[in-house]
Amino acid sequence: MSEVRVRSEIPSPASEERRSGEVLSLEEIHQLNEVFEGKPAEALLEWALERFHPRIALASSFGAEDVVLIDMLWRIQPQVRVFTLDTWRLPTETYDVIDRIRERYGIAVEIYTPDPAEVAEMVRAHGYNLMYRSIELRKLCCHVRKVKPLERALVGLDAWITGLRREQAVTRAHVAKIERDRAHRDCVKLNPLADWSWEQVWAYIRQHDVPYNVLHDRGYPSIGCAPCTRAIQPGEDPRAGRWWWEQDAAPRECGLHVAEWARVGVVLPSEEGVRTSET
Ligand code: SF4
């Protein structure tokens, strides 16, 4: 795909059509999804960095998809911003890969942690391992340790980038490459690997010798906090190792990305091409 051709397809800004405070209008998002669906992830990242840097950052948990994006972004813009949510319950292997990424790329990873007072209050009321006692308490822990720090991380950003892929889970099957994130001031949420397979992710990591979390070699396709992540067996759903004790009682999500497609204006893939949906 020629970069020149991609650029020629990108709609020119139509700021007068945007609502006050909106980064992109729904119509612009619709058009951009039509341009970038089926295009290489790098094409979307190049456009996004040119348009939004430094008011754009990658939200990284340093899983396989995220290290691919870090490598791609760094090749385009070495000063790219990367932030992570340190819940204080991450596996040692995750801290290891963060350090290796910092050394390899020279990126100053921005660290967002929970409010110590909120954590202390939660633990005092419900204990350290409250997540095993009920879905509500697990969600409370995710809210305090992940969702609220994410809200702080997104302050001042016009756009954020994630490693969401459609084949990761049924809750992500309709992820669009470009979304409007109504939960966070209508900022833009970019998912450049939405149409990638697990095999493509690993082909990229091996081709470019990208540092990755060694838990992936031990049967962990998806890696979150240590108390809430286990290895999966061959044939199990990739998300089966997250909050495994909840069985099928709740979506295996932490509240950062829950049904984003269902509550923001997104473009859904369809047989006719793509269409915009706002619910
Ligand atoms: Fe708490 Fe587990 Fe959620 Fe981490 S994944 S914030 S430990 S409930």
Side-chain angles (χ1 to χ4, degrees):
M1 176 58 54
S2 132
E3 187 184 337
V4 172
R5 186 161 156 229
V6 170
R7 285 173 185 276
S8 70
E9 295 173 30
I10 295 172
S12 53
S15 55
E16 69 278 4
E17 295 171 8
R18 289 185 214 125
R19 294 185 317 200
S20 173
E22 231 174 28
V23 179
L24 294 174
S25 71
L26 268 184
E27 181 58 26
E28 286 173 301
I29 291 174
H30 174 83
Q31 292 173 355
L32 288 165
N33 271 302
E34 286 191 329
V35 170
F36 287 110
E37 184 67 29
K39 299 280 195 308
E42 291 94 332
L44 176 55
L45 293 174
E46 282 175 16
W47 169 80
L49 285 169
E50 186 172 310
R51 176 78 179 260
F52 298 117
H53 180 76
R55 293 177 62 83
I56 183 172
L58 170 70
S60 175
S61 61
F62 295 87
E65 294 86 354
D66 295 335
V67 295
V68 165
L69 287 169
I70 288 171
D71 188 88
M72 287 180 175
L73 286 161
W74 175 80
R75 290 169 192 276
I76 301 167
Q77 170 53 269
Q79 304 302 317
V80 62
R81 293 178 62 187
V82 176
F83 72 82
T84 194
L85 308 177
D86 181 358
T87 63
W88 296 330
R89 302 297 300 265
L90 300 179
T92 297
E93 292 83 353
T94 299
Y95 295 115
D96 284 343
V97 75
I98 293 173
D99 282 347
R100 282 188 287 134
I101 289 284
R102 287 158 48 100
E103 288 167 17
R104 164 79 171 265
Y105 299 99
I107 292 173
V109 177
E110 299 170 30
I111 312 287
Y112 287 86
T113 58
D115 180 331
E118 287 186 15
V119 172
E121 184 180 332
M122 178 179 71
V123 170
R124 187 166 55 242
H126 304 292
Y128 275 105
N129 289 328
L130 69 166
M131 69 286 291
Y132 300 128
R133 292 170 46 204
S134 72
I135 291 175
E136 289 68 31
L137 288 177
R138 190 271 283 177
K139 288 182 175 176
L140 172 65
C141 186
C142 285
H143 188 75
V144 168
R145 293 183 187 273
K146 291 183 173 180
V147 176
K148 295 189 81 170
L150 175 67
E151 289 171 357
R152 278 188 277 118
L154 296 182
V155 169
L157 294 184
D158 288 336
W160 60 304
I161 304 166
T162 86
L164 294 185
R165 291 184 301 110
R166 292 172 189 145
E167 69 169 30
Q168 284 171 326
V170 291
T171 51
R172 300 179 179 184
H174 299 289
V175 161
K177 290 200 172 183
I178 302 146
E179 300 179 340
R180 184 166 70 177
D181 188 351
R182 283 209 164 148
H184 301 107
R185 303 172 289 103
D186 283 353
C187 70
V188 175
K189 183 175 175 183
L190 302 164
N191 310 302
L193 304 184
D195 54 356
W196 275 41
S197 67
W198 189 230
E199 291 72 26
Q200 282 177 281
V201 170
W202 281 96
Y204 187 99
I205 287 174
R206 303 210 189 290
Q207 180 183 355
H208 297 279
D209 192 26
V210 180
Y212 64 88
N213 193 321
V214 295
L215 288 176
H216 287 306
D217 292 334
R218 301 177 198 159
Y220 290 72
S222 174
I223 303 166
C225 295
C228 303
T229 309
R230 66 158 172 77
I232 66 168
Q233 299 301 315
E236 273 193 303
D237 183 279
R239 297 283 290 176
R242 304 294 296 275
W243 308 289
W244 67 92
W245 64 91
E246 290 183 358
Q247 306 297 327
D248 294 325
R252 296 181 190 282
E253 299 283 359
C254 55
L256 303 182
H257 304 295
V258 175
E260 200 67 28
W261 60 273
R263 60 181 167 79
V264 301
V266 302
V267 175
L268 305 178
S270 73
E271 290 183 356
E272 305 80 50
V274 291
R275 64 189 170 83
T276 301
S277 168
E278 184 178 26
T279 59

